[in-house]
Amino acid sequence: MKKSIVDLVLVLLIIGCNSILGLAQVPIDNEGKDFWIAWTYTFYNEAEVIIQSGSTANVTMSGSVLWTGIVLPGKPAIITLPESSKLGKKENIENKGIHIMSDTDISVIFRTPDGEGRESDDAYLAIPTSGLGKEYYVMSYNPVRIGLGSNASFFAIVAVEDNTNVYFGMTNILLDRGETFQKISGTD
């Protein structure tokens, strides 16, 4: 009898959890058909986008970078970006978003390799447009030097649609699709 009650409670808990989870958003993962990315200001002169797919994908990049190609399963495409697609040293709106579209699910990695071996290899895994939300936290290191010295912290925002309002701190900016804004911090 005791085991039956425990089994019943466990089943009810599982059903309850599944019901609650069923109300949540679609799970976010790193695969999708539509991505927007940006190359924040760095001291690196090169960057690349790595595109992977579990099936043959026809991929197009537009915006500040133009590329079209086929990505095969197990054979990632590595696209070297022109330095002109990198955001500048200023906090201003630029039209440097990179739009990546595919006819099937892909994953996208942005990487700035340190070819000289002095610093670090920096990278991020892009979130597909379908997985984007409205609230984010930026984590970065504490800058060692004030201003735009070698250790300032940067983050970038890319608008995926027109009239995108972005609020952070006391700042409010309005971006249109493909526009970028980069925040630079030399103090915190």
Side-chain angles (χ1 to χ4, degrees):
M1 178 71 172
K2 219 176 201 185
K3 185 176 181 321
S4 297
I5 292 173
V6 170
D7 288 344
L8 177 62
V9 169
L10 184 58
V11 168
L12 289 175
L13 281 173
I14 291 171
I15 291 171
C17 287
N18 284 336
S19 296
I20 292 169
L21 292 175
L23 296 175
Q25 282 185 335
V26 174
I28 298 172
D29 69 24
N30 63 313
E31 293 186 343
K33 296 178 182 176
D34 188 79
F35 295 81
W36 281 93
I37 63 171
W39 179 2
T40 58
Y41 177 78
T42 64
F43 297 100
Y44 305 115
N45 296 325
E46 60 184 90
E48 58 193 24
V49 173
I50 303 163
I51 301 173
Q52 305 173 96
S53 181
S55 58
T56 301
N58 295 297
V59 181
T60 301
M61 294 175 71
S62 60
S64 66
V65 175
L66 301 176
W67 181 86
T68 300
I70 296 174
V71 179
L72 300 172
K75 297 187 186 265
I78 301 173
I79 300 101
T80 301
L81 302 181
E83 195 169 0
S84 62
S85 65
K86 178 169 60 171
L87 300 180
K89 288 185 181 182
K90 297 181 181 177
E91 289 185 356
N92 60 356
I93 296 172
E94 297 182 78
N95 196 21
K96 292 196 175 181
I98 301 168
H99 191 197
I100 303 169
M101 297 168 289
S102 175
D103 64 347
T104 189
D105 283 348
I106 58 173
S107 61
V108 176
I109 298 167
F110 175 90
R111 178 174 174 250
T112 52
D114 179 19
E116 298 175 16
R118 296 175 288 119
E119 304 284 333
S120 65
D121 235 35
D122 296 329
Y124 65 82
L125 181 63
I127 300 171
T129 305
S130 62
L132 295 177
K134 295 185 182 241
E135 187 172 322
Y136 291 91
Y137 294 91
V138 175
M139 293 185 288
S140 185
Y141 55 85
N142 191 15
V144 176
R145 297 185 184 139
I146 302 299
L148 292 179
S150 63
N151 293 314
S153 294
F154 302 82
F155 70 86
I157 298 161
V158 182
V160 300
E161 58 188 38
D162 288 340
N163 298 312
T164 299
N165 280 305
V166 180
Y167 303 96
F168 53 92
M170 299 300 289
T171 304
N172 176 28
I173 58 172
L174 182 66
L175 299 172
D176 285 329
R177 182 180 164 124
E179 289 184 330
T180 57
F181 180 81
Q182 177 174 245
K183 177 68 178 155
I184 304 168
S185 176
T187 59
D188 61 5

